[in-house]
Amino acid sequence: MMIPLSFYGITINEYEGGNKMFYAIIAIIVVAIVLFILSYFMNDRIEEVESQLEQMSITTMQDTYQLKKKIKVLEEELLPSDLTDHKRENSNLINN
């Protein structure tokens, strides 16, 4: 028994080759449903890339923070205390 499908008031059985068109439409619908269901089970690569990018960003920020700390320590060690004292004296003279 054939179930007539109707588009714009014309059933598929009224077309020449209506059976073939009916089976083609059913096949397309079945393939669409199968692909839709499979899409939920596929591994989402975008989430993997986002997590890798987030991890790289965190690592980069940590490295930057560590480098800034090391630069600050080096500056404190390398700058002579005389120079900083001299700057303080100059600023006191200017302010007074």
Side-chain angles (χ1 to χ4, degrees), residues 55-71:
Q55 186 62 39
M56 189 175 75
S57 175
I58 291 170
T59 304
T60 304
M61 288 187 336
Q62 288 174 342
D63 290 344
T64 303
Y65 175 73
Q66 299 250 337
L67 283 172
K68 284 182 179 182
K69 277 177 46 177
K70 287 180 181 181
I71 289 173

Side-chain angles (χ1 to χ4, degrees), residues 2 25 41 51 56 59 68 71-72 84 89 94 96:
M2 182 74 154
I25 290 173
F41 297 108
S51 71
M56 189 175 75
T59 304
K68 284 182 179 182
I71 289 173
K72 185 175 181 177
T84 55
E89 289 174 6
I94 293 173
N96 291 332

Side-chain angles (χ1 to χ4, degrees):
M1 181 173 162
M2 182 74 154
I3 300 171
L5 292 177
S6 177
F7 296 104
Y8 300 108
I10 300 172
T11 60
I12 291 178
N13 290 337
E14 293 175 7
Y15 287 114
E16 185 177 303
N19 286 338
K20 291 178 186 176
M21 186 179 290
F22 175 75
Y23 293 127
I25 290 173
I26 296 300
I28 289 172
I29 291 171
V30 168
V31 168
I33 291 171
V34 168
L35 289 175
F36 183 74
I37 292 170
L38 283 177
S39 71
Y40 283 103
F41 297 108
M42 298 295 289
N43 191 7
D44 193 6
R45 301 198 76 200
I46 293 176
E47 287 181 12
E48 289 178 21
V49 171
E50 285 178 346
S51 71
Q52 289 175 356
L53 181 64
E54 183 178 348
Q55 186 62 39
M56 189 175 75
S57 175
I58 291 170
T59 304
T60 304
M61 288 187 336
Q62 288 174 342
D63 290 344
T64 303
Y65 175 73
Q66 299 250 337
L67 283 172
K68 284 182 179 182
K69 277 177 46 177
K70 287 180 181 181
I71 289 173
K72 185 175 181 177
V73 168
L74 282 173
E75 284 177 344
E76 290 174 356
E77 289 178 359
L78 293 177
L79 280 177
S81 60
D82 302 354
L83 183 61
T84 55
D85 291 340
H86 184 61
K87 285 184 180 180
R88 284 188 197 137
E89 289 174 6
N90 284 341
S91 66
N92 285 340
L93 289 174
I94 293 173
N95 289 337
N96 291 332

